[in-house]
Amino acid sequence: MTIRIADAAHFHPYPPSYYAATAHRSPSRPTLEGVKQVDVCVIGGGYTGLSTALHCAERGLSVVLLEGKRIGWGASGVNGGQVMPGWNRTTRGLVQQFGPAQARTLFAMANEAVEGLFQRIERHQIACDAQRGHLIVAATPADMQMLETELEAREAMGYVHSRLVDRDIAVGLTGAPQMYGGLLDTRGGHVHPLNLALGLAVAAELAGARLHEDSRVVRMRPVAARMLVETLRGKVLAKNVVLACGAQSGKLLEPVGRRTSALTAFAAATAQLSDKEAAGLVKDGLAVCDTRMSVNYFRMSPDNRLLFGGGERYRLSADEPAEAVVRSRLEAVFPQLEGVALDYTWSGLVTVTSSRMPAVGRVGSVFYADGYSGQGVALSNLMGKVLSEAITGDNSRFDLISHLPNLAVPGGRWLRLPIFAAIGALAAFREAH
Ligand SMILES: Cc1cc2nc3c(=O)[nH]c(=O)nc-3n(C[C@H](O)[C@H](O)[C@H](O)COP(=O)(O)OP(=O)(O)OC[C@H]3O[C@@H](n4cnc5c(N)ncnc54)[C@H](O)[C@@H]3O)c2cc1C
């Protein structure tokens, strides 16, 4: 059942977005009160926190999750819902940087992230409009060569679920006239992001985790052999803490702050289109993204809207409304939609790293995972599993991921972001050529 936000303010005090307006009814969870003792205290109720809580509870650990606002309040509730195969790197780039053996392990982990997510959705019957089928479209003829190289590299890894499509097919599949071909993948896909988060929350609770909303963590410090995590009204004494606050993580733990930076990303949902208009747009229930460094991504909603994301800013100037950013991108990709009504526009924070591989690590008994660089829908769910492995004594995959090179830059976000963006752009250029 879906309800509209106007009918459900009590249940959904989320910032306005298409996803908030079409979210399933979800109970609010109690604010943390008093003192609790647990094996694991998870801070943050997005995918990273929910996945960690779920995997830890399934491993028999006692878990409390503290969310400052509502489940899925952050990027997990507003993202494009694209379940993208791989890391935010080309497969050839992985081999060049990490060597064939480690690249193979990383490639397999990214596949596990996608499969694991769809299996979770199936196992817990999470109603989040999950659908398979993902297409990367080439925005320039040269980018088509990059996609050909990517296909070869995937096939060299034994991956058989991708194939190239030519320009006519790519244009036909997307309705976007300026595309030069594409890489179609049958394992990736898309979900309703907020309903995924809400469904993962229920699964975590059924596995035994206790979830608290409106429970913002203001401080954490070691006490004897435990960590004491404090909110305004309660405390948790935990053997291990998992920091999963997305763009806010750096505020609680400086090493995360040095390894990640956040930028504002934009999205929109058009008004409902007629069947005839929708028939000329994205087909076969595909999720689509293009090869631009500043990526555009889009898909159709179940109620005939084009859901479109694109455009990002280090900082939004006061006289630049979010609609202006996303509309110009949408109309450039779909000129036939010039002037289309946008019923919803919204923004969220994407955390990025210098290498575009996640920032995962630990400081004492505090673990963290962040910086998925725009590919967190699948990867954050896997990282929750990897963190649960480490917490229960199997460090092999945690060690691999936590030692991936990510530049740590001291100073504020405004210094880090341009540095990371420049390094990322250079690395992407090298991988593509
Ligand atoms: C507009 C947009 C589009 C995107 N599109 C895609 C896409 O299509 N595909 C893809 O793979 N990725 C996409 N992403 C990235 C993806 O959404 C993220 O990588 C992922 O959601 C990260 O999840 P998380 O749990 O780490 O962080 P978040 O979802 O941000 O969760 C962090 C949570 O911590 C809470 N919190 C913060 N501070 C505290 C505190 N002190 N105490 C308690 N709780 C706290 C917040 O309220 C929040 O709920 C997109 C992101 C954005 C913003």
Side-chain angles (χ1 to χ4, degrees), residues 274-333:
S274 67
D275 287 345
K276 191 175 165 210
E277 287 169 316
L281 300 174
V282 185
K283 301 198 177 46
D284 298 348
L286 288 171
V288 186
C289 67
D290 68 17
T291 49
R292 289 180 196 286
M293 183 75 67
S294 174
V295 65
N296 297 308
Y297 49 94
F298 42 91
R299 61 195 176 92
M300 299 305 294
S301 71
D303 59 350
N304 262 11
R305 300 169 191 272
L306 180 73
L307 302 176
F308 186 96
E312 62 271 332
R313 294 284 188 270
Y314 296 168
R315 183 194 320 233
L316 192 64
S317 70
D319 55 357
E320 187 181 32
E323 175 169 344
V325 180
V326 72
R327 176 181 287 285
S328 64
R329 306 281 294 237
L330 186 155
E331 292 182 354
V333 176

Side-chain angles (χ1 to χ4, degrees), residues 59 61 240 362 367 386-396:
R59 286 167 177 256
L61 300 174
N240 290 287
R362 70 183 288 182
F367 293 78
V386 170
L387 294 181
S388 76
E389 290 166 2
I391 288 167
T392 50
D394 174 3
N395 283 299
S396 51

Side-chain angles (χ1 to χ4, degrees), residues 19 49 58 98 107 120 138 141 160 208-209 229 262 303 318 330 333 392 398 412:
Y19 299 120
E58 285 177 339
F98 303 113
F107 186 83
R120 271 275 172 227
V160 295
V229 178
D303 59 350
L330 186 155
V333 176
T392 50
F398 173 81

Side-chain angles (χ1 to χ4, degrees), residues 43-49 66-70 72-76 78-82 84 215-217 244-248 252 265-267 297 346-350 369-370 372 374-378 380:
I43 309 174
Y47 303 142
T48 305
L66 304 175
E67 162 55 44
K69 292 184 171 159
R70 301 294 310 270
W73 181 276
S76 300
V78 296
N79 63 72
Q82 301 224 349
M84 292 187 266
S215 302
R216 189 169 73 87
V217 171
C245 297
Q248 311 298 323
L252 284 170
F266 302 90
Y297 49 94
W346 65 95
S347 65
L349 291 174
V350 179
D370 188 24
Y372 305 104
Q375 295 210 191
V377 174
S380 60

